[in-house]
Amino acid sequence: MRSAKAAGNTAVNTKKPGGFSFGTYMRRYGTLYLLLVLPIAFFLLFRYTPMAYILMAFKKNNIIKPPWQVDWAKNNGFEWFVKAFNDKLFIRALGNTIKLNLLDLVCGFPAPIIMALLLNELAFRKFKRVTQTILYLPHFLSWIIISGLALRLLADNDGLVNILYKRMSGDPNAVIPFLSKTNWWTGTYIALGIWKEAGWGTIIYLAALTGISPELYEAAAVDGAGRFRRIWHVTLPGLRPTIIVLLIMRLGSILGSEFDRPLALSNKLVTNASTVISIYVYQKGIQGGQYALTTAVGLFQSVVGVIFLFGANFLAKRFGERGIM
Amino acid sequence: MKRILALILTLALVASLGLVSAFAEDELVDGRFAETRHITVEVFRRGDNDPTTTPFADYIREGMLEQHNVEVEFVIVGRWSEVDDLNNLLAAGNAPDVSYTYSYPTILNYADMGGMTDLAPYLEQYKDLLPNMYALLGEDNVNWDKDPETGTLWAIETKLQNNARINTFIRKDWLDKLGLAMPTTKAEFEACLVAFRDNAELLLGADADRMVPYTTSQDIGWRNNNLIVSFVPNDLSDEEYYIHGYDDRQQTLPGAKEGVRLLNRWYNEGLVWKDFALYGSGDTTEDDNLKAGFVGAFQHNYDYPYRNGDDSIDANLKRNVGPEAAFVAVDCFENDAGLYRKFLGSTVDRKVCFPSTNTEILASLLYLDFISSPETILFLQTGKEGVNHDRAENGAYIMKTLDPTDPYYFNSLNNIDYTMTCNGLYLGEYTDVSFGYSYTGVDPALAETAYAVAMNDGRVPGHFILPAIEAEVTVGSTLSTERDTFLNQAVTASIEDFDAVYDEGLANYMSIGGEAIMNERAEKLEAATGYVHQDD
């Protein structure tokens, strides 16, 4: 104990006067670093160590031996990338992933913003709270449950919506093919996504809204701005930094794909539209044991994601926003 | 001097003991290891029951310990996700010492990576210790997958005792109600379906709009197999069948397209369940329709309506509709030679492999021998007298209905999840007389008819001893998924679009791997037998 103290003292003494010594610094902030140890260990163990196994993408397919003991794949190690881009199924999965993600972005991204604006305008606090809670609820359902609901409600013949539609139109062959025609299925897929996540997505915007000074609203009102004017000139500019950050993050995962959502909602009539990269990876990797090929696909996804992330960040900065980096 | 001598003698004694124990590592005394060995063994799980805690699991564990001094630890693998599960276990290096799967490509994939044990040398060495296994499987099954060039053997093919596959079932009580005879041709069968559709009010009353004259699932090739293969030319050779044989739904055989065309017409005429394609495998909606009595006819596993005891389709149907309601197997899909041809299974079933992490090869082989012994199989397939079964006067085993919560409840028909090397009743002289009674709560005549019909005019695929087909290893589940997709699209297409949808789908199936597999099969077959593939 004493020696430690002494060491500390000497450390202080050897430093030039006025400057922070390492010892004092650590005494003051040591606990904060201690708090960081666990998250850093987590990232080292579960995020950085596995990166060594990216090597698998350039090696012969083998999961029994560690990748550094395996021979290089053909084409100077790029065998699996060449193979993937020559595989019709991969190209299809890539196209579907981009298509569904873009649609999700265009239709799904504004939804929570609009919802947050609407909630913000509600006058009765109690009604607002109840509405909010109801909007959050679908977020807690798994896609498996939602797919079950979708089948019971939207199936061509036995689905409740189509039964009602048939009765009301009087034509027993009138069917809305929510799940059985690819274009309709895509619409259902996007709509269910919005229904499930939009409410939950409002939380972050509502939090940002509380940060807008009420004085701005008062000033706008004094200047004669109506409701829509106030939303346009006060609320939306206040939300802009949040919107930009979320948009950048979203663009970073443009090639990323959910797994349970397309898997659960898909059926054998719409495979052409529903097979995204994650499902391709599942079929080829987990079910077919093609680990090198699927690692290559995963690496490609990540690289494109990083490019988009930096690109979006760069553009945001060009337009005078803070960006995320 | 004496001391030195004593020392030398003692050392020699110790050394010789050490040597003996080193050499005696795999020595058995009366079939038992001197020291207790430990092996892990795969077991399928279906539904909620834990297969490792049943009296049957105990029987196996106790038997192995007593006969061979081997401790058995069961490792659960989901029946309906077995390939995924086993892939995960193999990739992680902790697959069970004795693993089994229906997917030979999975085994081959790991063999290529060095993850499997070559069984050939061990079987040669220990053959004499495995009389029961050889008696049950025969040399044919044991060496089925032996590579004729390299001599390697990555898997032992277990025995399919009963190779019946698909039956057509029809509601006999509906036929009686409408005054129709059992159909004997496709045309008559179709007439029955039309009659069901047009008499929905009479047959279902208030539920008339739930009428499904004919039901199928998204697995078109399996669930309409009798129909589809009835369009395959009768003179198809074994060689051609083998070349097209990767697809176990027979979808690439000549003529199969016409079978799907007929189904497409039925679909468009309102004879087929409209929503079949929306429900994935494992969904119970279709079974629920069958149990509720809304369905007139279907094709499925040859004994499908009689499986699962108290929860069988047959039992539910009788509860929901009445004691006269029953699905009866019927033969009515004639081919170009006028035969009710069925494409049966061969003699092989699951494939048993030892991952390279297995360090107890002999103990694992002894497990296969133990599980193949008639005594073991008898107990596993018939359970405990008075609890699982009673004996008839002629010696037949009459299986009893058990509550699913009963520890003696069978999780799978004939307990096949435990009888690793045997699928199908194997009760020696009592097999035939007991067959009808193995479906608890079901009229034995129904089950016996179903079996006879399923075997009638059956065809068994020929077996060619060829090197592994590498193109089959890499496709994963993509080929079967794409096949099901185009078949579903073709069946639900309009009649005018049928050809375009089917042809495009088949071309796609061929281009993503179907053709590569066929070509490799044709090449290797030609190299081995000189047979030249006839392009169709």
Side-chain angles (χ1 to χ4, degrees):
Chain A
M1 202 53 215
R2 184 173 289 173
S3 66
K5 220 174 193 174
N9 285 338
T10 47
V12 171
N13 292 339
T14 51
K15 286 287 166 190
K16 50 183 186 267
F20 259 129
S21 80
F22 182 71
T24 348
Y25 181 80
M26 281 318 280
R27 253 201 305 281
R28 195 170 291 174
Y29 298 114
T31 38
L32 291 179
Y33 280 97
L34 205 64
L35 278 175
L36 251 183
V37 165
L38 262 184
I40 286 178
F42 170 83
F43 277 100
L44 283 179
L45 201 60
F46 293 107
R47 292 288 187 270
Y48 289 93
T49 314
M51 277 197 199
Y53 288 78
I54 286 175
L55 205 55
M56 280 179 72
F58 304 95
K59 295 290 188 117
K60 289 205 161 116
N61 186 38
N62 197 320
I63 199 155
I64 304 289
K65 289 188 223 163
W68 41 92
Q69 289 178 16
V70 181
D71 292 338
W72 293 97
K74 283 178 238 163
N75 288 330
N76 301 319
F78 282 87
E79 178 185 0
W80 306 112
F81 294 91
V82 174
K83 209 169 176 181
F85 279 94
N86 282 327
D87 185 352
K88 275 164 77 174
L89 293 177
F90 172 71
I91 299 296
R92 186 184 70 181
L94 182 63
N96 285 337
T97 307
I98 294 172
K99 188 174 145 198
L100 291 178
N101 280 348
L102 278 182
L103 279 172
D104 245 350
L105 189 68
V106 173
C107 310
F109 189 71
I113 301 174
I114 295 167
M115 216 177 257
L117 292 179
L118 293 175
L119 283 170
N120 193 42
E121 296 300 318
L122 288 176
F124 299 105
R125 289 194 68 88
K126 252 198 178 150
F127 180 70
K128 183 182 163 189
R129 267 197 218 135
V130 172
T131 316
Q132 253 174 290
T133 311
I134 292 173
L135 286 172
Y136 295 162
L137 279 181
H139 170 78
F140 297 101
L141 298 178
S142 78
W143 278 109
I144 305 300
I145 294 172
I146 293 178
S147 76
L149 285 174
L151 267 174
R152 301 294 149 203
L153 290 171
L154 304 174
D156 284 5
N157 208 41
D158 305 336
L160 195 62
V161 174
N162 270 319
I163 289 177
L164 283 176
Y165 182 64
K166 275 185 256 186
R167 297 251 162 101
M168 280 156 76
S169 67
D171 175 7
N173 291 318
V175 159
I176 307 173
F178 290 109
L179 299 168
S180 55
K181 292 270 186 291
T182 45
N183 287 340
W184 277 96
W185 181 85
T186 308
T188 311
Y189 176 88
I190 301 294
L192 286 173
I194 293 174
W195 175 72
K196 183 173 187 296
E197 294 302 339
W200 186 252
T202 58
I203 290 183
I204 199 157
Y205 293 109
L206 288 172
L209 282 174
T210 57
I212 299 173
S213 162
E215 286 171 20
L216 290 174
Y217 287 104
E218 284 160 21
V222 168
D223 286 347
R227 268 206 166 187
F228 285 103
R229 285 270 147 208
R230 269 179 284 171
I231 292 178
W232 187 255
H233 290 292
V234 180
T235 318
L236 275 176
L239 283 181
R240 198 162 65 190
T242 316
I243 295 176
I244 298 285
V245 167
L246 289 181
L247 191 62
I248 293 173
M249 308 244 285
R250 191 81 175 244
L251 282 171
S253 57
I254 192 78
L255 270 199
S257 45
E258 288 173 276
F259 178 68
D260 42 354
R261 181 178 171 198
L263 188 80
L265 289 177
S266 178
N267 62 64
K268 289 284 166 57
L269 289 176
V270 295
T271 317
N272 291 338
S274 67
T275 312
V276 292
I277 293 179
S278 59
I279 295 193
Y280 174 84
V281 166
Y282 168 68
Q283 289 177 336
K284 285 277 190 185
I286 301 289
Q287 294 188 315
Q290 300 299 298
Y291 300 104
L293 173 74
T294 46
T295 308
V297 169
L299 183 59
F300 165 75
Q301 262 181 309
S302 305
V303 169
V304 174
V306 168
I307 292 172
F308 266 82
L309 192 72
F310 278 100
N313 190 51
F314 173 75
L315 282 180
K317 282 189 171 163
R318 277 295 288 273
F319 288 108
E321 294 295 337
R322 280 180 54 198
I324 56 171
M325 279 167 275
Chain B
M1 193 63 202
K2 262 186 188 169
R3 260 200 205 155
I4 293 172
L5 196 66
L7 196 67
I8 289 172
L9 278 175
T10 320
L11 277 176
L13 190 69
V14 171
S16 64
L17 272 178
L19 275 178
V20 164
S21 61
F23 277 108
E25 207 150 277
D26 279 349
E27 287 281 315
L28 300 170
V29 182
D30 293 333
R32 285 176 57 97
F33 286 102
E35 274 174 50
T36 308
R37 304 302 176 95
H38 181 91
I39 59 169
T40 49
V41 174
E42 176 180 339
V43 65
F44 281 157
R45 169 189 215 140
R46 352 190 157 212
D48 300 329
N49 291 354
D50 181 354
T52 67
T53 56
T54 65
F56 307 109
D58 291 341
Y59 176 88
I60 295 171
R61 277 189 289 252
E62 282 158 21
M64 276 300 285
L65 202 58
E66 190 182 312
Q67 289 184 24
H68 301 301
N69 200 12
V70 173
E71 261 177 17
V72 173
E73 181 192 338
F74 286 107
V75 177
I76 294 176
V77 160
R79 168 65 188 96
W80 308 116
S81 56
E82 58 115 347
V83 176
D84 306 23
D85 290 7
L86 188 60
N87 255 321
N88 282 339
L89 289 167
L90 284 164
N94 52 12
D97 293 330
V98 184
S99 295
Y100 63 118
T101 171
Y102 280 101
S103 165
Y104 187 59
T106 298
I107 297 175
L108 218 47
N109 189 29
Y110 280 88
D112 286 347
M113 298 182 203
M116 284 292 160
T117 305
D118 178 10
L119 298 168
Y122 294 106
L123 286 174
E124 206 166 297
Q125 187 182 349
Y126 297 125
K127 190 178 170 181
D128 295 341
L129 299 172
L130 311 167
N132 291 315
M133 185 183 97
Y134 273 88
L136 175 69
L137 303 182
E139 293 281 349
D140 270 357
N141 270 35
V142 172
N143 295 316
W144 191 275
D145 293 320
K146 195 172 207 165
D147 192 306
E149 285 164 12
T150 60
T152 49
L153 181 67
W154 305 116
I156 295 173
E157 294 280 355
T158 65
K159 185 83 174 177
L160 187 62
Q161 285 294 337
N162 178 345
N163 60 350
R165 248 179 31 134
I166 317 271
N167 256 337
T168 310
F169 294 96
I170 196 161
R171 279 285 292 277
K172 179 75 169 53
D173 53 315
W174 281 9
L175 293 178
D176 294 343
K177 220 170 181 175
L178 298 173
L180 295 165
M182 287 285 266
T184 58
T185 62
K186 268 177 258 190
E188 287 176 21
F189 183 74
E190 187 180 322
C192 294
L193 299 187
V194 171
F196 294 161
R197 182 193 63 192
D198 296 343
N199 293 291
E201 295 271 339
L202 172 72
L203 296 170
L204 290 178
D207 286 323
D209 58 345
R210 303 297 303 273
M211 163 61 75
V212 176
Y214 180 82
T215 190
T216 177
S217 76
Q218 44 81 36
D219 190 356
I220 296 290
W222 185 267
R223 294 293 312 283
N224 302 278
N225 198 263
N226 285 357
L227 184 159
I228 289 169
V229 301
S230 74
F231 286 89
V232 174
N234 194 51
D235 60 4
L236 180 83
S237 66
D238 276 353
E239 285 81 2
E240 285 302 315
Y241 184 20
Y242 168 75
I243 291 168
H244 291 269
Y246 174 72
D247 181 34
D248 66 350
R249 267 60 170 167
Q250 285 83 31
Q251 200 53 53
T252 58
L253 291 180
K257 180 181 172 186
E258 294 314 303
V260 183
R261 189 195 298 282
L262 178 61
L263 203 56
N264 167 260
R265 186 163 64 73
W266 287 357
Y267 182 84
N268 280 294
E269 288 172 7
L271 299 175
V272 180
W273 182 37
K274 278 277 178 230
D275 289 345
F276 75 88
L278 301 180
Y279 296 91
S281 69
D283 187 278
T284 58
T285 308
E286 196 199 2
D287 278 4
D288 293 342
N289 283 342
L290 287 163
K291 290 172 180 174
F294 299 149
V295 179
F298 68 102
Q299 295 181 357
H300 210 313
N301 299 352
Y302 79 98
D303 55 356
Y304 195 72
Y306 315 131
R307 291 182 177 184
N308 291 345
D310 218 24
D311 193 35
S312 70
I313 288 170
D314 187 70
N316 276 288
L317 196 58
K318 289 190 161 62
R319 271 198 295 273
N320 293 330
V321 181
E324 76 290 350
F327 278 108
V328 179
V330 63
D331 239 345
C332 55
F333 288 91
E334 76 285 6
N335 68 4
D336 57 351
L339 297 172
Y340 298 122
R341 178 64 83 213
K342 279 138 212 123
F343 282 53
L344 302 176
S346 61
T347 57
V348 302
D349 192 55
R350 290 162 287 190
K351 297 100 184 55
V352 173
C353 60
F354 296 175
S356 52
T357 45
N358 182 336
T359 53
E360 293 286 358
I361 305 286
L362 179 56
S364 305
L365 285 171
L366 288 173
Y367 179 83
L368 294 182
D369 193 66
F370 170 81
I371 208 75
S372 305
S373 89
E375 222 180 303
T376 309
I377 295 177
L378 177 72
F379 178 74
L380 293 174
Q381 292 191 337
T382 62
K384 200 172 167 186
E385 185 156 10
V387 179
N388 292 98
H389 70 260
D390 292 324
R391 297 297 291 273
E393 266 179 33
N394 63 356
Y397 291 84
I398 302 171
M399 301 307 292
K400 295 163 66 151
T401 309
L402 255 68
D403 190 83
T405 55
D406 193 297
Y408 279 91
Y409 180 77
F410 281 18
N411 288 323
S412 51
L413 182 69
N414 303 332
N415 257 339
I416 59 166
D417 294 346
Y418 292 115
T419 59
M420 179 184 283
T421 49
C422 175
N423 180 354
L425 273 193
Y426 182 70
L427 309 176
E429 57 179 313
Y430 300 115
T431 306
D432 291 341
V433 286
S434 302
F435 176 78
Y437 297 107
S438 56
Y439 300 90
T440 53
V442 173
D443 177 3
L446 279 177
E448 277 159 11
T449 307
Y451 181 68
V453 171
M455 297 300 285
N456 184 26
D457 292 339
R459 167 179 189 159
V460 177
H463 175 53
F464 301 96
I465 297 175
L466 301 176
I469 309 294
E470 292 296 331
E472 290 171 9
V473 177
T474 59
V475 292
S477 63
T478 52
L479 262 190
S480 57
T481 306
E482 295 306 311
R483 176 202 59 210
D484 290 347
T485 299
F486 90 77
L487 289 177
N488 279 265
Q489 288 168 341
V491 171
T492 56
S494 66
I495 289 182
E496 307 84 65
D497 291 344
F498 174 80
D499 279 298
V501 173
Y502 188 95
D503 294 344
E504 194 199 326
L506 185 63
N508 178 53
Y509 174 89
M510 287 300 180
S511 70
I512 60 168
E515 193 161 24
I517 290 173
M518 256 180 234
N519 289 343
E520 195 181 335
R521 281 186 171 226
E523 272 164 35
K524 291 190 168 157
L525 186 65
E526 189 174 343
T529 67
Y531 175 83
V532 182
H533 174 39
Q534 324 280 308
D535 270 322
D536 30 51

